[in-house]
Amino acid sequence: MSIGALDAASAYGRALGSIAPKIGGGLKPASIDSQAGGFGGMVEAMISNTAGTMHAAETASAKQVAGKGDLIDVVTAIGAAETALDTMVAVRDRVVNAYSDIMRMQI
């Protein structure tokens, strides 16, 4: 079974939606971190924006399949979604690498 980019972004969005309300006694981390301009708020906003972009691309594709959409809009939406997902994956990779470097540091 192959997992596509849209499936991965949808899974990230669902995971964020199910985990975020449970953290901090019912408060979302973004409400705390975004006020201070924290990293967590930035990551949550990036995930939300990526999920929204993926949803817009899916909607444009569905309209095109139904014969009600424009092909240029579909291509533009898919390009934007691909760029957003690539950016999110690159940030995730950097965070994982930074965590690995920190864990290897000697105290």
Side-chain angles (χ1 to χ4, degrees):
M1 174 174 18
S2 175
I3 298 177
L6 294 176
D7 295 330
S10 296
Y12 278 123
R14 284 191 307 272
L16 178 66
S18 65
I19 293 173
K22 297 176 185 176
I23 298 174
L27 295 176
K28 287 189 175 184
S31 64
I32 297 167
D33 291 343
S34 63
Q35 293 173 354
F39 181 74
M42 182 203 66
V43 171
E44 184 174 353
M46 180 182 291
I47 291 171
S48 297
N49 290 341
T50 301
T53 305
M54 293 289 183
H55 182 66
E58 289 177 10
T59 302
S61 297
K63 285 182 182 178
Q64 176 62 29
V65 169
K68 298 179 182 178
D70 187 20
L71 183 61
I72 293 174
D73 293 337
V74 174
V75 172
T76 303
I78 290 175
E82 183 179 6
T83 302
L85 184 63
D86 288 344
T87 302
M88 187 174 67
V89 168
V91 169
R92 183 211 54 197
D93 291 344
R94 292 285 180 120
V95 169
V96 169
N97 287 338
Y99 177 78
S100 297
D101 289 344
I102 290 171
M103 293 307 292
R104 279 183 279 191
M105 287 183 183
Q106 293 184 1
I107 297 177

